[in-house]
Each structure stands twice: as C-alpha cells, then as structure tokens.
C-alpha cells in the first residue's frame, strides 16, 4: 500500500547510456514532481506535472525528459548519462492546492 | 537560487536533550515546512507553518516563524535515538508550487 513508489531503487550504469526511472502514486493526487538530491544532500526541483501537463521545468539539461502517461505516473528518462547525473532522484506528489508533498523512497543513480 | 539555509549543518546530542535547528530564507513565502529524511529514505513531512503564523506545535515538535527576519526554527524536545535523521526546511512562494529546500541539518541522537 505504498503511497509513492519508485523503480528502480538503485541504478548503476555507464556514461552515455539512456535510462528511465518510474514513479507511481496511489494517493489520487493530481500534481507530481521530480527532485534531484546531490551528494551534499541538496534537493532541487526538476519538473512538475499537473494532470499530465508540464507546469514547471527548471534549468535542467534537455537530456532529461519527463513523461506522464496518466495522473498517477510520472517517469523520468535520461539520455546520454553523464557522471554529474549521479544523484538520488525523488518523486513526490500532492493534491490540489494542498501544501504537503509526499515523497517516494528515491532512486540512487550512479553513473560510472 | 537556493531559498533556505539550515543551521547548524550537523548536530550531535544525547537522548533526552532538546535539539534546535534554524532555517533562513531569502524571499517572501506562502508557508514553511519541515521535512525529515532518514538515511537512505525519502522525505517525510513533519510540520507546516503558514506565513501569518508565528508558532506551531505538533507532539514533541515546536516550530517558530519570524517573517521579518525570514527565519524559522524547529525544536525537538526530549530527543530519542529514532530522531536521528536529516531535517530540511522547505518554502514555497505560492500555494501549491514546488518546494525550495534548504541544505538540511543532520541530527545525531546517541543513547
């Protein structure tokens, strides 16, 4: 009965590869986010989707492409992975104009 | 640019002691929230204080907000080993927008 789930939990890959991270929420929320947490634990917003529509797109390389097939899912595809992409990626969701966000467990991406 | 800055970066205390963490931010806010992150886990919402509130309590947590100084503090009373985690403040400029996080305070509570 996990509220916000992400797969995979760990992802180790080589530079130049393309990979995807999936996020699903069963809370009925209509807004979902991707955050990136770097090695110093700094969390920064990457993207936000509301009802499958992109509403926030921070300064993120266009190698990162979010896709929301439906309200409950927000996936993150990364092309041509670079060493600097190594981080923990968190998915989050919230409902309506509520302020509290619910976070997934994170996906630790390691690019070798 | 980063909104919140936590202070201290790391805090080590004994069980039963109180832990105080501070957060400063730069622009006007709609509300300020505190989240906890246990090692290797996601963030869990702890408490929210709105811009027109000055103090809020939830169990062993006490949050204050001083909008004139653009700062907030989180007090955890009678700390337990299970409180060991990183604590982040987060703000948003408008209701429902993305959160802007501070760098976090790593709290270590030893028994």
């Amino acid at each position: 009965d996990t509220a916000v789930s992400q797969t995979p939990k760990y992802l180790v890959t080589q530079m130049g590869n393309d990979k995807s991270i999936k996020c699903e929420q069963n809370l009925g929320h209509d807004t979902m986010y991707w955050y990136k947490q770097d090695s110093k634990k700094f969390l920064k917003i990457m993207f936000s989707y509301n009802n499958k529509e992109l509403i926030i797109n921070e300064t993120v390389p266009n190698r990162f492409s979010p896709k929301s097939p439906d309200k409950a899912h927000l996936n993150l595809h990364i092309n041509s992975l670079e060493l600097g992409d190594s981080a923990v990626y968190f998915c989050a969701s919230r409902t309506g104009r509520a302020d509290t966000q619910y976070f997934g467990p994170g996906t630790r991406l390691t690019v070798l | 640019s980063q909104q919140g800055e936590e202070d201290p970066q790391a805090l080590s205390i004994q069980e039963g002691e109180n832990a105080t963490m501070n957060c400063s931010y730069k622009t006007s806010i709609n509300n300020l929230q505190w989240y906890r992150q246990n090692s290797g886990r996601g963030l869990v919402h702890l408490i929210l204080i709105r811009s027109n509130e000055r103090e809020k309590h939830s169990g062993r947590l006490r949050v204050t907000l001083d909008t004139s100084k653009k700062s907030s503090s989180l007090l955890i009373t009678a700390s337990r080993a299970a409180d060991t985690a990183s604590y982040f403040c987060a703000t948003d400029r408008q209701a429902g927008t993305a959160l802007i996080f501070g760098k976090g305070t790593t709290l270590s509570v030893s028994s």
Side-chain angles (χ1 to χ4, degrees), chain B residues 2 21-22 36 85 87 103:
Chain B
Q2 185 178 335
M21 290 160 262
N22 303 298
R36 183 186 72 225
Y87 292 81
K103 289 182 178 177

Side-chain angles (χ1 to χ4, degrees), chain A residues 9-10 31 33 35 37 40-45 48 55-56 58 88 90 94 96-106 108, chain B residues 1-2 30-31 33 35 37 40-45 48 50 85-86 88 92 94-104 106:
Chain A
K9 188 169 175 61
Y10 300 97
T31 303
Y33 305 86
Y35 290 87
Q37 186 174 42
K40 296 183 179 179
K41 293 191 177 181
F42 176 44
L43 270 153
K44 188 173 180 182
I45 182 70
S48 172
I55 56 173
I56 293 175
E58 291 295 310
V88 182
F90 287 99
R94 66 166 179 83
R97 294 177 68 79
D99 298 301
T100 300
Q101 294 187 17
Y102 294 80
F103 283 77
R108 181 175 293 277
Chain B
S1 63
Q2 185 178 335
N30 171 57
N31 64 55
Q33 305 179 47
Y35 285 79
Q37 183 180 29
R41 308 289 289 273
L43 283 82
V44 174
H45 179 262
L48 178 152
R50 302 204 178 279
S86 292
F88 296 87
D92 60 356
Q94 293 179 339
T97 57
L99 295 174
I100 302 173
F101 285 87
K103 289 182 178 177
T106 299

